[in-house]
Amino acid sequence: VRVAGWFLRKVFRLIATELTVDIDSFANLTRALETLKHEGGAHTLEKTNIILAPTHRSLLDFLILSYITFALPELQIDIPKIAAADDFSRLPVLGWLAYFAGAFFIKRGKSKRDP
């Protein structure tokens, strides 16, 4: 995980001048989890799943999200598991990065359109 984090940091520095993170939203999530933990007990929190949904403005959204949770441990959010399209696994660099950032690859139906 550390190697992937180091590599992502290098890549982001090469391709972007700025990466903006809405720390307040993540802090609100952390506070909500703490409230849930105190009100429902620790066993309730163990059964709680959080879904972080990137907007897919770029192919790097899910990698950025993983990097944020890695680079900012004060957010107290575990590095997420990533559901990525099977196509990503075949991309030379992105597939490797996605795998080491916690991705699992799924096949999406190509024969039928969802109404």
Coordinates of all heavy atoms in Angstrom, one line a residue, residues 1-9 12 26 52 62-80 100-101:
V1 N 0.8 -1.2 0.0 CA 0.0 0.0 0.0 C 0.9 1.3 0.0 O 0.6 2.2 -0.7 CB -1.0 0.0 1.2 CG1 -1.7 1.3 1.3 CG2 -1.9 -1.1 1.1
R2 N 2.0 1.2 0.8 CA 2.8 2.4 0.8 C 3.5 2.7 -0.5 O 3.7 3.8 -0.9 CB 3.9 2.2 1.9 CG 3.4 2.2 3.3 CD 4.6 2.2 4.3 NE 4.1 1.9 5.6 CZ 3.7 2.8 6.5 NH1 3.6 4.0 6.1 NH2 3.3 2.5 7.7
V3 N 3.9 1.6 -1.2 CA 4.5 1.8 -2.5 C 3.5 2.4 -3.5 O 3.8 3.4 -4.2 CB 5.0 0.5 -3.1 CG1 5.5 0.6 -4.5 CG2 6.2 0.0 -2.2
A4 N 2.3 1.9 -3.5 CA 1.2 2.5 -4.3 C 1.0 4.0 -4.0 O 0.8 4.8 -4.8 CB 0.0 1.7 -4.3
G5 N 0.9 4.3 -2.7 CA 0.7 5.7 -2.2 C 1.9 6.6 -2.7 O 1.6 7.7 -3.1
W6 N 3.1 6.1 -2.6 CA 4.3 6.9 -3.0 C 4.2 7.1 -4.5 O 4.4 8.2 -5.0 CB 5.5 6.1 -2.7 CG 6.8 6.7 -3.2 CD1 7.5 7.7 -2.7 CD2 7.4 6.4 -4.4 NE1 8.5 8.0 -3.5 CE2 8.5 7.2 -4.6 CE3 7.2 5.4 -5.4 CZ2 9.4 7.1 -5.7 CZ3 8.0 5.3 -6.5 CH2 9.1 6.2 -6.6
F7 N 3.8 6.1 -5.3 CA 3.7 6.2 -6.7 C 2.6 7.1 -7.1 O 2.8 8.0 -8.0 CB 3.5 4.8 -7.3 CG 3.6 4.8 -8.8 CD1 4.9 4.9 -9.4 CD2 2.5 4.7 -9.6 CE1 5.0 4.9 -10.8 CE2 2.6 4.8 -11.0 CZ 3.8 4.8 -11.6
L8 N 1.5 7.0 -6.5 CA 0.4 7.9 -6.8 C 0.7 9.4 -6.5 O 0.4 10.3 -7.3 CB -0.9 7.6 -6.0 CG -1.7 6.4 -6.5 CD1 -2.8 6.0 -5.5 CD2 -2.2 6.6 -7.8
R9 N 1.4 9.6 -5.4 CA 1.9 11.0 -5.1 C 2.8 11.5 -6.2 O 2.6 12.7 -6.6 CB 2.6 10.9 -3.8 CG 3.1 12.3 -3.3 CD 3.9 12.2 -2.0 NE 4.2 13.5 -1.5 CZ 3.9 14.0 -0.4 NH1 3.1 13.3 0.4 NH2 4.3 15.2 0.0
F12 N 0.5 12.2 -9.3 CA -0.4 13.4 -9.1 C 0.5 14.7 -9.2 O 0.0 15.7 -9.8 CB -1.1 13.3 -7.8 CG -2.1 12.2 -7.7 CD1 -2.4 11.6 -6.5 CD2 -2.8 11.8 -8.8 CE1 -3.4 10.6 -6.4 CE2 -3.7 10.7 -8.8 CZ -4.0 10.2 -7.6
F26 N -15.4 15.1 5.0 CA -14.9 13.9 5.6 C -14.9 14.0 7.1 O -15.2 13.0 7.8 CB -13.4 13.7 5.1 CG -13.3 13.1 3.7 CD1 -12.9 13.9 2.7 CD2 -13.5 11.8 3.5 CE1 -12.8 13.4 1.4 CE2 -13.4 11.3 2.2 CZ -13.1 12.1 1.1
L52 N -18.5 5.5 -0.7 CA -17.9 6.7 -1.2 C -18.0 6.6 -2.7 O -17.4 5.7 -3.3 CB -16.5 6.9 -0.7 CG -16.3 7.0 0.8 CD1 -14.8 7.0 1.1 CD2 -16.9 8.2 1.4
F62 N -11.2 7.3 -8.6 CA -11.2 6.3 -7.5 C -9.8 6.2 -6.9 O -9.6 5.8 -5.8 CB -11.7 4.9 -8.0 CG -10.9 4.3 -9.2 CD1 -9.9 3.5 -8.9 CD2 -11.3 4.6 -10.5 CE1 -9.2 2.9 -10.0 CE2 -10.6 4.1 -11.5 CZ -9.5 3.3 -11.3
L63 N -8.8 6.4 -7.7 CA -7.4 6.4 -7.2 C -7.2 7.6 -6.3 O -6.5 7.5 -5.2 CB -6.4 6.4 -8.3 CG -6.4 5.2 -9.2 CD1 -5.4 5.4 -10.4 CD2 -6.0 4.0 -8.4
I64 N -7.7 8.8 -6.7 CA -7.6 10.0 -5.8 C -8.3 9.7 -4.5 O -7.7 10.0 -3.4 CB -8.2 11.2 -6.5 CG1 -7.3 11.6 -7.7 CG2 -8.3 12.4 -5.5 CD1 -7.9 12.6 -8.6
L65 N -9.5 9.1 -4.5 CA -10.2 8.8 -3.3 C -9.4 7.9 -2.4 O -9.2 8.1 -1.2 CB -11.5 8.2 -3.6 CG -12.4 7.9 -2.4 CD1 -12.7 9.2 -1.6 CD2 -13.7 7.3 -2.9
S66 N -8.8 6.9 -2.9 CA -7.9 6.0 -2.2 C -6.7 6.7 -1.6 O -6.3 6.5 -0.5 CB -7.5 4.8 -3.0 OG -8.6 4.0 -3.4
Y67 N -6.1 7.5 -2.4 CA -4.9 8.3 -2.0 C -5.3 9.2 -0.8 O -4.5 9.3 0.1 CB -4.3 9.0 -3.1 CG -3.1 9.8 -2.7 CD1 -1.9 9.2 -2.5 CD2 -3.2 11.2 -2.5 CE1 -0.8 9.9 -2.0 CE2 -2.1 11.9 -2.1 CZ -0.9 11.3 -1.9 OH 0.2 11.9 -1.4
I68 N -6.4 9.8 -0.9 CA -6.8 10.8 0.2 C -6.9 10.0 1.5 O -6.5 10.5 2.5 CB -8.1 11.5 -0.2 CG1 -7.9 12.5 -1.3 CG2 -8.8 12.2 1.1 CD1 -9.2 13.0 -1.9
T69 N -7.6 8.9 1.5 CA -7.7 8.1 2.7 C -6.4 7.6 3.3 O -6.2 7.4 4.4 CB -8.7 6.9 2.6 OG1 -8.3 6.1 1.5 CG2 -10.1 7.4 2.2
F70 N -5.4 7.3 2.3 CA -4.1 6.9 2.7 C -3.3 8.1 3.3 O -2.6 8.0 4.3 CB -3.4 6.3 1.6 CG -1.9 6.0 1.8 CD1 -1.5 5.0 2.6 CD2 -1.0 6.9 1.2 CE1 -0.2 4.7 2.8 CE2 0.4 6.6 1.4 CZ 0.8 5.6 2.2
A71 N -3.3 9.2 2.5 CA -2.4 10.3 2.9 C -2.9 11.2 4.0 O -2.1 11.9 4.6 CB -2.3 11.2 1.6
L72 N -4.2 11.1 4.4 CA -4.8 11.8 5.5 C -5.3 10.9 6.5 O -6.5 10.8 6.7 CB -5.8 12.8 5.0 CG -5.4 13.8 3.9 CD1 -6.6 14.6 3.3 CD2 -4.4 14.7 4.5
P73 N -4.5 10.2 7.3 CA -4.9 9.3 8.3 C -5.8 9.9 9.4 O -6.6 9.3 10.0 CB -3.7 8.7 8.9 CG -2.6 9.6 8.6 CD -3.0 10.4 7.3
E74 N -5.7 11.3 9.6 CA -6.5 11.9 10.6 C -8.0 11.9 10.2 O -8.8 12.2 11.1 CB -6.0 13.4 10.8 CG -6.1 14.3 9.5 CD -4.9 14.3 8.6 OE1 -4.1 13.4 8.7 OE2 -4.8 15.2 7.8
L75 N -8.3 11.6 9.0 CA -9.7 11.4 8.6 C -10.3 10.2 9.2 O -11.5 10.0 9.3 CB -9.9 11.4 7.1 CG -9.4 12.6 6.3 CD1 -9.6 12.3 4.8 CD2 -10.3 13.8 6.7
Q76 N -9.5 9.2 9.6 CA -9.9 8.0 10.3 C -10.8 7.2 9.4 O -11.8 6.6 9.8 CB -10.6 8.3 11.6 CG -9.7 9.0 12.6 CD -10.4 9.3 13.9 OE1 -11.6 9.1 14.1 NE2 -9.6 9.9 14.8
I77 N -10.6 7.2 8.1 CA -11.3 6.4 7.1 C -10.4 5.4 6.5 O -9.3 5.7 6.0 CB -11.9 7.3 6.0 CG1 -12.9 8.3 6.7 CG2 -12.7 6.5 5.0 CD1 -13.4 9.3 5.7
D78 N -10.8 4.1 6.6 CA -10.0 3.1 6.0 C -9.8 3.2 4.5 O -10.8 3.8 3.8 CB -10.5 1.7 6.3 CG -10.5 1.3 7.7 OD1 -9.6 1.9 8.5 OD2 -11.4 0.5 8.2
I79 N -8.8 2.7 3.9 CA -8.6 2.8 2.5 C -9.8 1.9 1.9 O -9.9 0.8 2.3 CB -7.2 2.2 2.0 CG1 -6.1 3.1 2.6 CG2 -7.1 2.1 0.5 CD1 -4.7 2.6 2.4
P80 N -10.5 2.5 1.0 CA -11.7 1.8 0.5 C -11.4 0.7 -0.5 O -10.4 0.7 -1.1 CB -12.5 2.9 -0.2 CG -11.5 3.9 -0.7 CD -10.4 3.9 0.4
F100 N -3.5 -2.2 -6.6 CA -2.8 -2.0 -5.3 C -3.5 -0.9 -4.5 O -3.2 -0.8 -3.3 CB -1.3 -1.6 -5.6 CG -0.5 -2.8 -5.9 CD1 -0.1 -3.1 -7.2 CD2 -0.1 -3.7 -4.9 CE1 0.6 -4.2 -7.5 CE2 0.6 -4.8 -5.2 CZ 1.0 -5.1 -6.5
A101 N -4.4 -0.2 -5.1 CA -5.2 0.8 -4.3 C -6.4 0.1 -3.7 O -7.3 0.8 -3.1 CB -5.6 2.0 -5.1

